[in-house]
Amino acid sequence: QVQLVEFGGGSVQAGGSLSLSCTVSGVTTFEFCMGWFRRVPGKERERVARISSDGTTTYADSVKGRFTISKDSAKNTLYLQMNALTPMDTAMYFCAAAGFKSCRYAPRPSDFAYWGQGTQVTVSS
């Protein structure tokens, strides 16, 4: 059984930082494309960052230079370091795993088969 559980959400002031983690069981982070997504009520789920099995990363333009996705294969954990946060980053954040090694084959949220329950990030101005 595949299970993803996010930790680390919370409230922070604009300009601050938060670090999210996602513990994974049932699949290994080094085998598959892993990603972070976020959703604001009333809007579609947005892709934030992805990391392929070989460590290749991609980011949404809105977070480039501020967010960093990484993984620790020994701990089977996915991370998202978020710096210089703005109120526009307020959302529910989800980690997800796709059934592909390369994120090249998983451009859409629907390409990710496994999802965590989400963790709320709130950034105040």
Side-chain angles (χ1 to χ4, degrees):
Q1 183 180 355
V2 179
Q3 197 168 22
L4 291 78
V5 181
E6 300 94 339
F7 298 94
S11 297
V12 66
Q13 287 196 322
S17 299
L18 277 175
S19 181
L20 305 183
S21 61
C22 171
T23 59
V24 183
S25 59
V27 294
T28 52
T29 56
F30 66 82
E31 279 188 285
F32 297 109
C33 165
M34 304 289 298
W36 286 99
F37 295 80
R38 64 187 181 188
R39 186 176 66 210
V40 175
K43 293 190 176 181
E44 289 192 3
R45 200 165 20 184
E46 177 189 15
R47 191 180 72 204
V48 175
R50 297 174 298 162
I51 184 166
S52 293
S53 61
D54 66 357
T56 303
T57 58
T58 59
Y59 296 92
D61 287 343
S62 58
V63 306
K64 259 180 205 174
R66 300 188 299 123
F67 289 14
T68 302
I69 187 172
S70 62
K71 60 183 178 179
D72 185 330
S73 296
K75 295 181 179 178
N76 219 28
T77 300
L78 182 71
Y79 302 98
L80 185 69
Q81 177 64 39
M82 305 184 293
N83 298 326
L85 286 161
T86 78
M88 295 293 291
D89 296 314
T90 295
M92 184 74 79
Y93 283 72
F94 301 86
C95 66
F100 309 99
K101 286 183 179 292
S102 172
C103 292
R104 181 188 316 172
Y105 304 110
R108 301 174 299 258
S110 58
D111 296 318
F112 287 75
Y114 306 104
W115 292 83
Q117 82 289 348
T119 186
Q120 179 67 36
V121 171
T122 302
V123 185
S124 57
S125 57

